[in-house]
Amino acid sequence: MTNNANARPRRQLTLQKKQNLTGWIFLLPATILIVWMSFYPMVRAFIVSLQRGKPTALQFSEPLWRNYERMLQDKVFVQSLINTFTYLIIQVPIMLVLALIFASLLNMKDLKFKGIFRTCIFLPCATALVSYSIIFRTMFSYDGMVNAVLVSMHILKEPVNWLNDPIGAKAVIIIALIWRWTGYNMVFYLSSMQSIDYSIYEAARIDGAGAWTQLTKITMPLLKPIILVTAIMSTNGTLQLYDESVNLTNGGPANMSITMSHYIYNTTFVTSPNFGYAAAMSFVILLFVAVLSGIQMKVGDKR
Amino acid sequence: MKKILSVLLVLTLVLSLTPLALAEEDGKIVIWTWDPKFNIAAMNIAADMYHVDHPDVEIEVQEVLSDDIEQNVATAATAGDLSTLPDIMLCQDNSFQKMVTNYPEVYTDLTDLYDFEGFGPAKQAYSIIDGRHYGIPFDAGTVVGAYRTDYLEQAGYTIDDLKDITWDRLIEIGKDVKEKTGYPMFSGQAGSVDAIMIMLQSCGASMFNEDGSVNLKDNEPLKEVVADYMAMVEAGVFVEVNSWDEYIGTLSNGSVVGTFNGCWILATILSLDDQAGKWDITNMPKLANAEGATNYSNNGGSSWAITQGTDVDLAVDFMQMYRNVEFYNAILPTTSAIATFSPAKEGEAYSAPSEFFNGTPIFATILEFGEQVPSNITGAYYYDARNAVSTAVTNAMNGGDIDAELATAEDTVNFAMGF
């Protein structure tokens, strides 16, 4: 090859160009689609976020960042922001730790019926968001299953109206989210744990390392990249939470469990439509996702 | 690559600036509506009756949910392409002002095209924007008080004891009934404020002033309504549940004495075969102090709108069916859709007594109630205000000060209107 290249350098160049061109042509369809269906709407959405007025007669607002400026004065938006971050801060760590524990339990070599356990824990991910929300709503209703069980076990003296209580409603959403997504994250951990050579654990055990030391000194460091991925995905997903807020609590009571996405939907379709403001709020979510993911990458990835 | 990107961006921008495309006149009427047993059934009957004299006109009734209709209108209007919309569509009365105000290019002004004589004025008010008519009234949401007579009897009351009473009297009766039978009088969905909106309209009051400005902070009737509502909940006369299914559940498993709601709730009650003969209807209680208080109100209901640029003349001609007493007689037995067209009450179907409701001719009774419903102002920001009031009431129930909460609610709505 080197001989050949030295002999005919011009042709080598065209070959490389040709290869580049082929590469670009292969990339082109996907690129066009992404630009057209993803980037263009984002650009348009940003332009809309600077506008105000009736949906079909949007005009640039004065000043341009008016929609962004007003957001902080919007009590409902601030409440939705607080709610969403409450979900994020409480739910994501609990869920990821649980997923890690489940994954390491299922990764034990001498565990029987692994397949059944794995299926059981992953199964919630196969349920539709709306249907599981409705099931949770029914379970936590005033005369629902949860109250019946807790009262009959004498844990509660009388039924609690979970969904009509500001803290209760949030708690139910967090429980539902953990139930729905733990298995999903566990699968990521499990698959990468299976790629860790078992002899490492054996060696560690010979050196006298207990289960906890093995988890923190071997499993977790080796899983770091995948933990990072799940953390970013969960953060992203929680910030865009919508189905649970709509179907489980309908944002209530008194907007105490409404999420940002739910409020954006209301602003666009339920109340008198305000596309500019809704687009501006969407960009704020985008900003949060970007910043939080950035921080997690910086903290988590030391390479 | 940069070049390609910029070309693409310019192209898409140009494409999005194409002028408003209108639907074609194709001599075919397409109708969007949502309930197979109710408004779809009614439109199918209308189509059959229209075909007798106009056999060549093709009419297609499509099932599209109310929320989807609103979203499709929003999408079509903002894309500037109305060709995806039908000729006629149904719209919830509470959304009508919002839709027409925000998407005026979609709806046909029917003021000079249709005769609105004979429709109840309160019903028409929902679809009148700036003095112009945009909607042809369909079903009434006239409020009835429906009660289990067997429960009332156990406590020593009859249905007549609940006729023409005030809320204060209702709370008295309710407490007594609860003591004797253990059942609360009413149930309702917490945070949905249906009950509060019904009570508010019963005295002709609204969440908005005539000029469209918000009227929550110093709205005396609203304060009376909230006070009465809270008193009912506190006394255990009105039990709050979390979801619509739970509300329907309280009726179907007989855990409440009755309910007050739009007359469409009777369709649900009528489906409870095991409770036949145990129900009766009368009017709802009224506010004791508010000016212009009545025992009549409205909740729900919908009206037909005609899309601009479509077969408007044909659609208007077809919609003459809704001024036809025969038509109302034909749809009543199958759909229980109660007209807002007064002459319809002369029809036979309306005066027939209902076995289920102890022989009361419920349809004629409801039409009679409907004529006495005071009109209210909904406006484009109705749902903003409704959500704000819901928050205020929930907070007040949890110990907040109602005056302060309503002031906050007014700020919230003003904030939304400030855009």
Side-chain angles (χ1 to χ4, degrees):
Chain A
M1 272 305 274
T2 29
N3 252 347
N4 212 359
N6 284 340
R8 279 176 287 178
R10 265 189 71 201
R11 201 176 164 230
Q12 163 80 25
L13 214 65
T14 38
L15 184 70
Q16 201 180 356
K17 262 189 182 167
K18 224 183 220 168
Q19 276 173 340
N20 272 344
L21 196 67
T22 327
W24 281 117
I25 287 171
F26 273 117
L27 279 177
L28 201 62
T31 316
I32 291 177
L33 283 177
I34 291 172
V35 169
W36 179 41
M37 319 269 295
S38 221
F39 294 162
Y40 169 65
M42 277 165 75
V43 173
R44 283 289 296 175
F46 183 69
I47 296 171
V48 169
S49 80
L50 304 175
Q51 293 174 322
R52 60 184 291 225
K54 282 183 184 167
T56 48
L58 287 169
Q59 276 163 354
F60 282 103
S61 51
E62 190 64 45
L64 267 184
W65 53 89
R66 189 171 185 271
N67 285 330
Y68 292 91
E69 202 175 51
R70 297 198 53 153
M71 231 174 273
L72 291 173
Q73 301 157 24
D74 184 350
K75 284 178 193 133
V76 185
F77 178 74
V78 172
Q79 184 61 51
S80 74
L81 200 69
I82 295 171
N83 295 342
T84 311
F85 275 89
T86 314
Y87 298 143
L88 181 71
I89 291 163
I90 299 178
Q91 184 254 340
V92 174
I94 296 181
M95 176 182 69
L96 293 184
V97 168
L98 271 179
L100 202 59
I101 293 171
F102 281 132
S104 43
L105 283 177
L106 285 175
N107 198 34
M108 288 198 310
K109 235 186 174 175
D110 30 312
L111 184 76
K112 292 250 163 39
F113 310 117
K114 253 187 217 169
I116 296 174
F117 289 130
R118 210 178 292 169
T119 317
C120 286
I121 296 174
F122 185 69
L123 214 53
C125 298
T127 54
L129 293 171
V130 175
S131 40
Y132 101 90
S133 300
I134 291 172
I135 290 170
F136 266 80
R137 192 182 71 196
T138 319
M139 280 181 8
F140 281 91
S141 66
Y142 190 70
D143 49 4
M145 198 189 86
V146 173
N147 274 331
V149 169
L150 291 179
V151 169
S152 68
M153 285 169 68
H154 301 288
I155 295 172
L156 290 179
K157 270 206 189 99
E158 52 184 39
V160 175
N161 200 349
W162 299 96
L163 298 176
N164 203 19
D165 177 81
I167 296 169
K170 281 197 194 99
V172 172
I173 287 192
I174 289 172
I175 294 169
L177 282 172
I178 291 174
W179 178 84
R180 173 68 169 75
W181 293 105
T182 303
Y184 180 76
N185 291 299
M186 181 204 73
V187 169
F188 284 98
Y189 296 154
L190 196 58
S191 66
S192 52
M193 273 180 190
Q194 277 161 355
S195 64
I196 302 174
D197 197 340
Y198 197 73
S199 58
I200 302 177
Y201 290 103
E202 269 174 341
R205 216 170 304 145
I206 291 164
D207 286 344
W212 179 249
T213 326
Q214 283 176 36
L215 183 71
T216 49
K217 295 277 161 85
I218 302 174
T219 318
M220 277 168 61
L222 285 171
L223 285 187
K224 209 171 179 184
I226 205 78
I227 292 177
L228 190 66
V229 168
T230 52
I232 291 173
M233 283 197 311
S234 313
T235 308
N236 194 350
T238 313
L239 286 177
Q240 297 179 36
L241 203 64
Y242 170 78
D243 297 69
E244 289 80 359
S245 170
V246 173
N247 294 301
L248 229 167
T249 60
N250 198 14
N255 294 328
M256 290 311 278
S257 69
I258 196 169
T259 62
M260 290 193 282
S261 299
H262 186 184
Y263 184 53
I264 291 172
Y265 177 85
N266 280 355
T267 317
T268 323
F269 291 115
V270 177
T271 59
S272 197
N274 191 337
F275 288 177
Y277 187 48
M281 289 192 285
S282 311
F283 263 90
V284 169
I285 295 194
L286 178 78
L287 202 74
F288 281 130
V289 172
V291 168
L292 285 177
S293 306
I295 293 173
Q296 283 169 342
M297 297 239 272
K298 263 268 162 340
V299 173
D301 205 357
K302 292 264 165 62
R303 274 175 300 179
Chain B
M1 215 39 218
K2 256 185 194 159
K3 227 175 212 169
I4 298 175
L5 268 178
S6 51
V7 167
L8 270 174
L9 272 176
V10 169
L11 236 160
T12 28
L13 274 170
V14 169
L15 281 177
S16 66
L17 290 174
T18 43
L20 189 81
L22 289 174
E24 280 173 51
E25 274 190 62
D26 51 7
K28 176 182 167 187
I29 304 177
V30 178
I31 301 163
W32 279 0
T33 172
W34 55 80
D35 189 340
K37 285 186 176 162
F38 192 58
N39 36 47
I40 292 180
M43 263 309 186
N44 282 330
I45 292 171
D48 290 342
M49 289 176 79
Y50 190 72
H51 275 146
V52 175
D53 294 328
H54 307 83
D56 305 331
V57 179
E58 200 184 331
I59 300 169
E60 193 185 335
V61 184
Q62 296 174 350
E63 182 177 346
V64 187
L65 290 177
S66 161
D67 287 355
D68 293 343
I69 292 180
E70 287 187 16
Q71 290 184 16
N72 281 329
V73 167
T75 318
T78 43
D81 179 6
L82 301 184
S83 63
T84 51
L85 295 177
D87 302 81
I88 299 173
M89 59 186 138
L90 196 60
C91 186
Q92 303 271 10
D93 284 337
N94 284 338
S95 293
F96 219 107
Q97 307 255 339
K98 175 185 86 179
M99 296 309 286
V100 176
T101 311
N102 283 297
Y103 308 107
E105 62 278 28
V106 173
Y107 299 94
T108 306
D109 179 353
L110 299 169
T111 318
D112 305 321
L113 299 173
Y114 202 83
D115 179 10
F116 289 92
E117 185 72 39
F119 291 105
K123 175 70 179 182
Q124 289 183 54
Y126 287 112
S127 54
I128 295 176
I129 291 97
D130 296 331
R132 311 295 291 176
H133 283 272
Y134 288 89
I136 297 166
F138 174 49
D139 64 314
T142 310
V143 171
V144 293
Y147 299 93
R148 288 282 294 264
T149 45
D150 53 337
Y151 288 172
L152 291 177
E153 227 164 81
Q154 280 176 37
Y157 292 96
T158 65
I159 188 81
D160 287 330
D161 293 323
L162 291 150
K163 197 180 171 188
D164 298 330
I165 56 169
T166 61
W167 287 105
D168 297 339
R169 175 72 185 134
L170 181 110
I171 294 173
E172 268 173 48
I173 298 176
K175 277 182 186 164
D176 194 27
V177 171
K178 186 158 190 204
E179 208 167 281
K180 287 174 180 158
T181 66
Y183 295 115
M185 209 67 172
F186 299 129
S187 57
Q189 207 181 332
S192 86
V193 290
D194 264 352
I196 285 167
M197 293 298 128
I198 291 172
M199 291 161 79
L200 187 64
Q201 190 178 352
S202 76
C203 68
S206 312
M207 297 184 290
F208 295 93
N209 295 313
E210 292 276 343
D211 60 359
S213 59
V214 199
N215 177 23
L216 296 177
K217 198 169 72 185
D218 301 311
N219 190 333
E220 289 308 321
L222 180 60
K223 284 181 190 168
E224 189 185 345
V225 166
V226 175
D228 280 349
Y229 180 78
M230 284 169 64
M232 274 200 289
V233 175
E234 220 156 275
V237 172
F238 188 111
V239 53
E240 283 194 313
V241 294
N242 297 319
S243 65
W244 180 255
D245 341 334
E246 282 180 74
Y247 164 65
I248 296 296
T250 57
L251 300 177
S252 58
N253 57 32
S255 56
V256 289
V257 178
T259 190
F260 63 101
N261 213 332
C263 52
W264 38 262
I265 196 70
L266 297 183
T268 304
I269 296 176
L270 276 165
S271 70
L272 310 169
D273 292 329
D274 56 320
Q275 296 178 18
K278 293 178 180 168
W279 287 86
D280 207 342
I281 62 163
T282 184
N283 53 22
M284 60 177 275
K286 71 172 180 182
L287 295 167
N289 305 319
E291 207 179 309
T294 70
N295 292 89
Y296 308 95
S297 188
N298 192 76
N299 184 32
S302 46
S303 302
W304 301 101
I306 297 179
T307 316
Q308 277 193 43
T310 53
D311 301 282
V312 174
D313 295 335
L314 187 64
V316 167
D317 188 52
F318 169 68
M319 290 306 288
Q320 296 304 324
M321 210 46 88
Y322 283 81
R323 301 193 50 77
N324 184 340
V325 175
E326 296 282 301
F327 165 70
Y328 287 109
N329 266 313
I331 63 167
L332 189 63
T334 42
T335 64
S336 309
I338 290 156
T340 49
F341 187 58
S342 296
K345 74 176 163 196
E346 308 301 336
E348 277 166 38
Y350 275 85
S351 45
S354 163
E355 291 293 315
F356 196 100
F357 290 94
N358 279 324
T360 305
I362 50 169
F363 299 124
T365 311
I366 293 166
L367 250 177
E368 219 165 87
F369 287 180
E371 287 164 8
Q372 302 173 65
V373 175
S375 35
N376 73 338
I377 307 159
T378 46
Y381 289 89
Y382 177 79
Y383 282 99
D384 295 80
R386 212 183 139 111
N387 287 350
V389 169
S390 165
T391 307
V393 172
T394 308
N395 287 340
M397 308 261 287
N398 290 332
D401 171 45
I402 187 63
D403 290 330
E405 291 297 339
L406 284 177
T408 312
E410 181 156 324
D411 288 345
T412 309
V413 184
N414 271 327
F415 179 81
M417 291 172 81
F419 280 98

